[in-house]
Amino acid sequence: MMDTAFDNDRELVMQKIFESNISGWMEVGTSVEESKKAIALAETDHRIIASVGVHPHALKNLKDADWDEIQQLAGHKKCKAIGEVGLDFSRGNDIEFQEAMLKKFISLAQQKNLPLIFHVRNGNSIDAHAELLRILSSYNNQNLRGVIHTFSGTLIQAQEYIKLGMMISFSGVLTFKNSGE
């Protein structure tokens, strides 16, 4: 809802959503600014909750002060998840950096006892799902829970995520001809 496409009629769209018997939603943060906006929107109505996080593509711009702000937002009563966070190698294979940042978000989720919303996208030579499964497995189910959103991996990977206590979500991408098995 915080997309600029709704700037002119956000209140009307929200009214129509609630009139159509949708009971609420989670506004997902993908940057520090979007996380602040998600919390602000959630504060406007009891049926809206928020998550805070930084999409893997925005990690390089994250400053110490931004991280402090994410930690503070994660403690807000309307914050119910950490995310969107994860691994995305579609614009480069900086696996060490993305892994280190992801582990910071996992630690934050553990501290706040919140689930994670994982974004996972392969690169030219790296299977991001295999890497995330490796990372998650190293935690030995230590208070980790979350959802792998817009899942694009294999059946075996889905089963591995489920064994680790994760949920899987599917989107319209599943219907694309090149979506594979």
Side-chain angles (χ1 to χ4, degrees), residues 12-174:
L12 178 63
V13 172
M14 287 173 60
Q15 178 184 343
K16 287 182 178 184
I17 287 171
F18 290 128
E19 286 172 358
S20 67
N21 293 322
I22 292 175
S23 60
W25 69 86
M26 177 177 283
E27 194 69 25
V28 177
T30 58
S31 67
V32 176
E33 279 307 308
E34 292 301 314
S35 294
K36 289 193 289 191
K37 289 178 183 179
I39 293 288
L41 181 67
E43 288 178 323
T44 68
D45 193 288
H46 71 278
R47 298 167 286 190
I48 305 170
I49 58 175
S51 74
V52 298
V54 179
H55 187 282
H57 289 168
L59 289 173
K60 292 223 184 262
N61 300 323
L62 200 64
K63 310 270 187 286
D64 288 342
D66 296 329
W67 178 250
D68 293 343
E69 191 154 16
I70 286 289
Q71 289 179 298
Q72 183 178 2
L73 291 168
H76 192 283
K77 66 182 180 186
K78 295 293 275 189
C79 179
K80 302 298 181 187
I82 302 299
E84 174 173 338
V85 298
L87 301 173
D88 189 323
F89 303 120
S90 65
R91 295 185 186 171
N93 295 336
D94 52 350
I95 186 168
E96 292 83 12
F97 175 71
Q98 286 191 40
E99 180 175 344
M101 293 303 296
L102 177 59
K103 287 180 176 179
K104 286 179 75 165
F105 283 109
I106 290 171
S107 177
L108 179 60
Q110 289 175 313
Q111 290 168 18
K112 301 295 183 183
N113 194 28
L114 294 171
L116 292 128
I117 303 169
F118 290 103
H119 169 93
V120 189
R121 186 176 300 156
N122 294 335
N124 291 335
S125 62
I126 296 181
D127 181 340
H129 287 287
E131 293 300 324
L132 182 57
L133 283 164
R134 176 186 58 78
I135 293 165
L136 294 177
S137 294
S138 73
Y139 285 87
N140 297 318
N141 291 333
Q142 299 170 358
N143 194 27
L144 280 182
R145 62 193 199 285
V147 63
I148 312 301
H149 91 86
T150 311
F151 182 72
S152 62
T154 67
L155 174 60
I156 292 170
Q157 289 169 329
Q159 291 167 334
E160 289 300 314
Y161 282 126
I162 291 167
K163 284 180 191 172
L164 291 170
M166 299 295 135
M167 298 177 79
I168 308 292
S169 79
F170 300 97
S171 71
V173 172
L174 191 64

